[in-house]
Amino acid sequence: MRSRRFRHLAVPLIALLAVTAVAVVLVGHLTGGPGGDKRASEHGMTGLPAATDAQREALSDSIRPVPATPAGKLRFGLGPGLDSAQSSPLAGDLDFYSTWFNGPNDLGFLRRWKLDLIPQVYRSGHGVHLIVWLDGTGSTGTFSTAHGQACGREYPLSSAFLSDARELASIFAGTANGPALYVTLFTEFQTYPCQTNSWAASAETTNYYLTLKDQYLAAMQIFHAGAPNARVSLGWGGWQERWDDPLIGGGKSLLPYFADVMRASDFQSFQAMGGDPSAPDVQSMTAALGRFGPVMLAHYKSESQSAWQSDMQALLTGDEVRQLSAAGLFAFSFMDQDNIGSSPAALALTRGALQSHGIRSPL
């Protein structure tokens, strides 16, 4: 899809058992949907009962607020890795550093980071933003879930992913009163099923999304239990507001099907990338997601330097930051330094935006 360069606080046994129990309770669909095979499949998919209304309420009650951000200000982040952000000339103006998990192979370098780099970042007063992108991981096919046959990327729905999430929570855990760990789970998740961007494109698509919601809620509880500083969100592709197809729950009409999990989330996330100006997507997605809680632009990048320049002027100058903040945006993370480092003028423009509109949590 695109190239990304990315490269434990041990959890006590009692905590692990508690997380497992919570996951068993929560990995069940939160909305009505087609019935199906209740057996776990050979792919390691979970087949667990639906959550009750009381359990859904309990999820909403367990929301962890993001750090307070004054009106008209944003928390800025930068990726694609903790190491590159830490060495950036903008490091001192950033509130957090962003990094990626693209699958089990990344656990090798992340285990090493646990011993040195991650504690260093927290000690510097910076938060960490973990972006989980899995559309390039594992096989795609048709398989059984608790909701019936589903078609799409298998690893995000597997018990193996929940096991890896448990380790990720341990690797990135900080103290409850220290800098935040932001987690954007399943970024661009609309692309994970075989048929994308629509809830009812097929029964297999609906079942995939139902199971993905189960998995998201289970993973959110794992991060809450394993990382006292974690705040978790579901990662939308930022194109979803460009059209509407109510008949199959496509475009704008997909969002209401995820209202339950968004209301249970600590914050909301979306990305903005491509060759055209992204400012319209940023404005519309912020407005749409802001109804459910604070919003982060999780990874922003442009394939066109002129479009990037246009976005910077449209989003981070004049009165627009105040308007975005009022609509719910609290954080803005640049995916990498390619646009920023293209020229001294681009670096100066970015630094000016961060210094004018950014805020950092105190050490």
Side-chain angles (χ1 to χ4, degrees), residues 281-303:
D281 286 340
V282 173
Q283 292 156 346
S284 61
M285 287 297 289
T286 297
L289 299 182
R291 294 174 294 160
F292 301 98
V295 181
M296 172 188 286
L297 174 48
H299 47 108
Y300 166 70
K301 179 183 175 72
S302 181
E303 297 168 9

Side-chain angles (χ1 to χ4, degrees), residues 9-326:
L9 303 176
V11 179
L13 177 59
I14 292 175
L16 281 174
L17 291 173
V19 172
T20 302
V22 168
V24 167
V25 171
L26 293 174
V27 180
H29 60 81
L30 291 192
T31 64
D37 185 359
K38 299 299 181 184
R39 298 166 296 173
S41 77
E42 66 272 19
H43 299 284
M45 304 300 153
T46 53
L48 300 170
T52 66
D53 289 342
Q55 288 159 355
R56 286 194 290 270
E57 242 175 83
L59 280 171
S60 297
D61 290 344
S62 69
I63 289 173
R64 290 180 179 172
V66 298
T69 304
K73 294 290 185 180
L74 299 175
R75 297 180 180 275
F76 286 98
L78 175 65
L82 303 186
D83 48 358
S84 59
Q86 188 180 53
S87 62
S88 166
L90 297 173
D93 297 314
L94 298 169
D95 182 67
F96 59 91
Y97 303 156
S98 294
T99 197
W100 293 74
F101 175 77
N102 292 333
N105 290 341
D106 289 347
L107 290 171
F109 78 85
L110 291 175
R111 289 170 184 141
R112 295 191 295 273
W113 279 10
K114 176 184 178 179
L115 301 176
D116 47 38
L117 183 56
I118 292 171
Q120 286 174 21
V121 170
Y122 285 143
R123 283 197 299 268
S124 74
H126 290 88
V128 170
H129 176 212
L130 174 63
I131 306 164
V132 177
W133 179 76
L134 301 177
D135 194 29
T137 306
S139 60
T140 297
T142 301
F143 48 88
S144 296
T145 73
H147 300 283
Q149 290 293 108
C151 185
R153 188 71 64 174
E154 294 186 42
Y155 171 69
L157 306 190
S158 68
S159 57
F161 170 71
L162 291 182
S163 177
D164 291 342
R166 213 165 274 120
E167 183 168 5
L168 288 170
S170 171
I171 288 171
F172 285 96
T175 60
N177 59 353
L181 166 62
Y182 302 107
V183 183
T184 295
L185 272 177
F186 303 146
T187 191
E188 302 175 2
F189 73 89
Q190 305 104 296
T191 65
Y192 294 11
C194 292
Q195 293 174 272
T196 62
N197 297 306
S198 299
W199 180 264
S202 67
E204 290 82 5
T205 301
T206 302
N207 293 341
Y208 189 96
Y209 281 137
L210 284 167
T211 310
L212 185 75
K213 293 205 298 181
D214 296 346
Q215 199 78 337
Y216 170 75
L217 292 170
M220 181 175 69
Q221 293 301 305
I222 285 170
F223 275 100
H224 277 188
N229 59 330
R231 279 82 167 175
V232 183
S233 68
L234 179 67
W236 288 86
W239 56 81
Q240 202 64 38
E241 283 282 298
R242 293 178 189 171
W243 80 101
D244 196 17
D245 190 347
L247 188 63
I248 59 170
K252 296 179 181 181
S253 291
L254 181 61
L255 272 73
Y257 289 98
F258 290 86
D260 49 1
V261 297
M262 288 195 286
R263 290 193 185 98
S265 299
D266 302 315
F267 67 104
Q268 317 304 320
S269 282
F270 71 99
Q271 55 81 280
M273 303 175 66
D276 298 325
S278 292
D281 286 340
V282 173
Q283 292 156 346
S284 61
M285 287 297 289
T286 297
L289 299 182
R291 294 174 294 160
F292 301 98
V295 181
M296 172 188 286
L297 174 48
H299 47 108
Y300 166 70
K301 179 183 175 72
S302 181
E303 297 168 9
S304 161
Q305 194 62 23
S306 61
W308 178 85
Q309 182 87 16
S310 171
D311 286 338
M312 291 292 287
Q313 293 293 336
L315 297 172
L316 298 179
T317 61
D319 194 48
E320 186 59 27
V321 174
R322 184 191 62 78
Q323 293 180 25
L324 287 169
S325 170

Side-chain angles (χ1 to χ4, degrees), residues 350-363:
T350 310
R351 178 178 283 120
L354 269 59
Q355 292 179 349
S356 297
H357 306 296
I359 184 174
R360 283 192 58 190
S361 295
L363 287 170

